[in-house]
Amino acid sequence: MQHWDVLIVGAGHAGAQVASLLRQQNFKGSVAMFGDEPEHPYERPPLSKDYLSGEKTFDRLALRPLSFWAEQGIEVVPGRRVVAVDAKAHRVRTASGEEFGYGSLIWATGGAPRKLSCPGHDLQGVHSVRTRADVDRMMAGLDRTKRVVVVGGGYIGLEAASVLTKLGKSVTVLEAQDRVLARVAGEALSRFYEAEHRARGVDVRLSVAVERLEGEDGRVTGVRLVDGSLLPADMVIVGIGIVPAVEPLVAAGLPPANGVEVDEYCRTALPDVFAVGDCAAHRNPYAASAAPIRLESVQNANDQAKVVAKFLTGQPEAYDAVPWFWSDQFDLRLQTVGLSTGYDETVVRGDPATRSFSIVYLKDGAVIALDCVNIVRDYVQGKALVKARMKVEPPLLADGATPLKSLAAA
Amino acid sequence: MGTILVENRAGVETTLKAEFSRNLMEVMREGGVGEILALCGGTCSCSTCHVIIDPAFVDRLDPMGSDEHDLLDNSEHRSPTSRLACQIVFKETMDGLRVKIAPED
Ligand SMILES: Cc1cc2nc3c(=O)[nH]c(=O)nc-3n(C[C@H](O)[C@H](O)[C@H](O)COP(=O)(O)OP(=O)(O)OC[C@H]3O[C@@H](n4cnc5c(N)ncnc54)[C@H](O)[C@@H]3O)c2cc1C
Ligand code: FES
């Protein structure tokens, strides 16, 4: 049986970064990385941005050139899916029935896009946005597509809506909550993005529920809402979150949960099994609550990867990175720092009408996060406030003319 | 095609072939420079493609935009010739460019 000192399952952002950082930290042991997609590790964020729009070709998304992995002595095996883990025996089994041994196992599997459960969810022309294959399928159908319905007003849905609008499609966004971005941002930001999308012709419908997808000859033709109305569609894009890909670990003995729980070194409760990235439920020092959370961001994937690489090379450092995120829609660059969930007060800084402003989130008077639209300066300077959990009087924050830097120094 | 010289954090210099009109971040990433993270993929949102330009070449680069300027403040290691590699389009006039990967933040 083949055996590696470190076996990484999942060749996405987090897995790739564990592998390359192990070598940067001079890890001399053997390292392999299995991924169930056919590609070597690539960037996921452009899938709903520059790749979908056709501005970037796939070769520009490679996280590392192919030769890199061999040069670093990292065995990357695409197209290999792990289906079972025997933590005691330090062994995994793959979909093809092969078994492999490991010293440490790094679970970096991200998640599968959540599917609609209503009738018609599996018609042709219904797409998720998680992998290159998903987006290639979508792009192949664009020629025949005039009307697109996007189910889910989160970042991915809104990014896809913005690209498809730019490509000349007529786009409707359906959101179950009474505002877009409801899970991830405050109301002021939601209203801003709602208005921006509408101003560009996106039909944003809030507080609506999908009854079923209608189809003809196996292909989607429309979305029937619970109120009975029908939205004709040649394509339906489903962006309603992910289900963390952790079944094999649950089968191996971990309690079923939203992801797999890890400690501050990204260790799971199974011996020598770590988890990183989108699937890792962790206590985040920047979260307002102590409950384990999962973060779906490149920042988190990268910084948790670093925690594991350091741990495995004998330099343990607890996870303590300031969360950040970005999203590009139309000509709006959103940059987020900190975690806003759990805020009890928001301050709008600057004037949204200028399309360059920030929203500052506070809890118990301390700054916990900022959403910055087209204003890099606030994002950069706001980070210091988040890091220091700085208490600042709201009127000071609201004054866009006072640099946040000067408040951090106060 | 031109060349750039990249010095990594350990001080080791590598020569990379670079197509003109490509951005420097992609040139370095494709050239296997592992220390270039470029987490945002070159969209001027992260500052993890921070490089320090050899002063001899500074004048040959296009001036930086205000977003790049502001984002560089994200780094504790900003120096007078700091740039974000993803914002530099490699041109004939920059052939032989020397850059250093900035220390990690
Ligand atoms: C369309 C889109 C846009 C995004 N935009 C942004 C953005 O603007 N900014 C930002 O910060 N983040 C963004 N994200 C989120 C970011 O891409 C993720 O947080 C990041 O990819 C997480 O990395 P990961 O390694 O945990 O998971 P992934 O990158 O998803 O990698 C996991 C890999 O493991 C594979 N896998 C799963 N199960 C198995 C198994 N059993 N065996 C083998 N392989 C397996 C998966 O197929 C996948 O290839 C975006 C995500 C998407 C989908
Ligand atoms: S790659 Fe993110 S700023 Fe250059």
Side-chain angles (χ1 to χ4, degrees), chain A residues 12-25:
Chain A
H13 278 271
Q17 191 56 11
V18 171
S20 45
L21 281 177
L22 279 173
R23 291 303 184 218
Q24 265 183 44
Q25 304 293 330

Side-chain angles (χ1 to χ4, degrees), chain A residues 13 17 20-21 24-25 43 45 50 56 59-65 67-68 71-72 298-299 302 306 324 326 328 333-335 374-377 379-381 383 387 405, chain B residues 9 21-23 25-26 28-48 66-76 87 104-105:
Chain A
H13 278 271
Q17 191 56 11
S20 45
L21 281 177
Q24 265 183 44
Q25 304 293 330
E43 291 178 57
D50 292 359
K56 271 191 188 167
D59 54 309
R60 291 179 63 190
L61 309 192
L63 278 172
R64 299 288 169 203
S67 56
F68 176 87
E71 279 161 16
Q72 298 285 319
V298 169
Q299 170 278 317
N302 183 64
K306 192 157 137 190
W324 57 267
W326 79 98
D328 298 325
R333 175 189 294 138
L334 170 72
Q335 291 171 286
N374 288 344
I375 182 148
V376 178
R377 203 180 326 119
Y379 165 74
V380 169
Q381 298 182 6
K383 193 175 190 170
K387 212 168 172 172
K405 199 158 53 175
Chain B
R9 292 187 184 126
S21 83
R22 297 296 307 278
N23 84 55
M25 178 280 279
E26 290 184 6
M28 286 194 284
R29 198 164 69 167
E30 284 163 25
V33 181
E35 290 168 343
I36 280 285
L37 280 178
L39 293 178
C40 77
T43 59
C44 201
S45 301
C46 74
S47 77
T48 61
S66 65
D67 285 350
E68 180 184 352
H69 186 277
D70 290 342
L71 199 50
L72 273 166
D73 275 338
N74 218 358
S75 171
E76 287 165 27
Q87 300 303 303
E104 199 180 358
D105 280 300

Side-chain angles (χ1 to χ4, degrees), chain A residues 141-157:
Chain A
L142 280 180
D143 276 349
R144 57 188 299 167
T145 298
K146 283 202 184 73
R147 287 165 303 194
V148 183
V149 172
V150 177
V151 182
Y155 284 121
I156 290 176

Side-chain angles (χ1 to χ4, degrees), chain A residues 184-383:
Chain A
V184 287
E187 169 140 19
L189 196 80
S190 300
R191 296 300 170 211
F192 174 78
Y193 275 97
E194 175 189 329
E196 286 288 331
H197 277 261
R198 287 196 169 132
R200 288 169 168 87
V202 179
D203 180 1
V204 180
R205 309 234 184 153
L206 304 171
S207 309
V208 291
V210 173
E211 167 87 23
R212 63 175 183 271
L213 305 188
E214 309 268 0
E216 241 175 69
D217 302 330
R219 172 163 285 281
V220 74
T221 56
V223 179
R224 177 78 64 185
L225 300 181
V226 168
D227 68 10
S229 56
L230 177 73
L231 302 166
D234 316 304
M235 179 182 282
V236 171
I237 295 174
V238 182
I240 52 173
I242 62 168
V243 182
V246 297
E247 314 82 57
L249 293 185
V250 173
L254 289 183
N258 174 22
V260 39
E261 264 195 52
V262 296
D263 69 7
E264 68 271 38
Y265 298 109
C266 295
R267 291 179 294 195
T268 71
L270 295 171
D272 301 315
V273 180
F274 299 74
V276 287
D278 284 11
C279 67
H282 63 281
R283 284 176 181 74
N284 194 296
Y286 290 92
S289 116
I293 56 165
R294 290 188 307 103
L295 289 180
E296 295 171 17
S297 71
V298 169
Q299 170 278 317
N300 178 63
N302 183 64
D303 286 322
Q304 289 191 327
K306 192 157 137 190
V307 166
V308 169
K310 290 243 162 169
F311 190 90
L312 291 177
T313 51
Q315 330 157 63
E317 272 176 34
Y319 188 48
D320 183 29
V322 181
W324 57 267
F325 184 80
W326 79 98
S327 170
D328 298 325
Q329 297 165 49
F330 304 110
D331 57 346
L332 304 167
R333 175 189 294 138
L334 170 72
Q335 291 171 286
T336 293
V337 58
L339 298 173
S340 61
T341 307
Y343 64 87
D344 54 26
E345 191 174 359
T346 61
V347 177
V348 178
R349 179 180 157 79
D351 181 3
T354 63
R355 308 178 74 248
S356 167
F357 67 100
S358 306
I359 294 167
V360 188
Y361 299 85
L362 300 115
K363 184 170 164 66
D364 302 327
V367 175
I368 58 168
L370 289 92
D371 281 327
C372 308
V373 177
N374 288 344
I375 182 148
V376 178
R377 203 180 326 119
D378 279 3
Y379 165 74
V380 169
Q381 298 182 6
K383 193 175 190 170

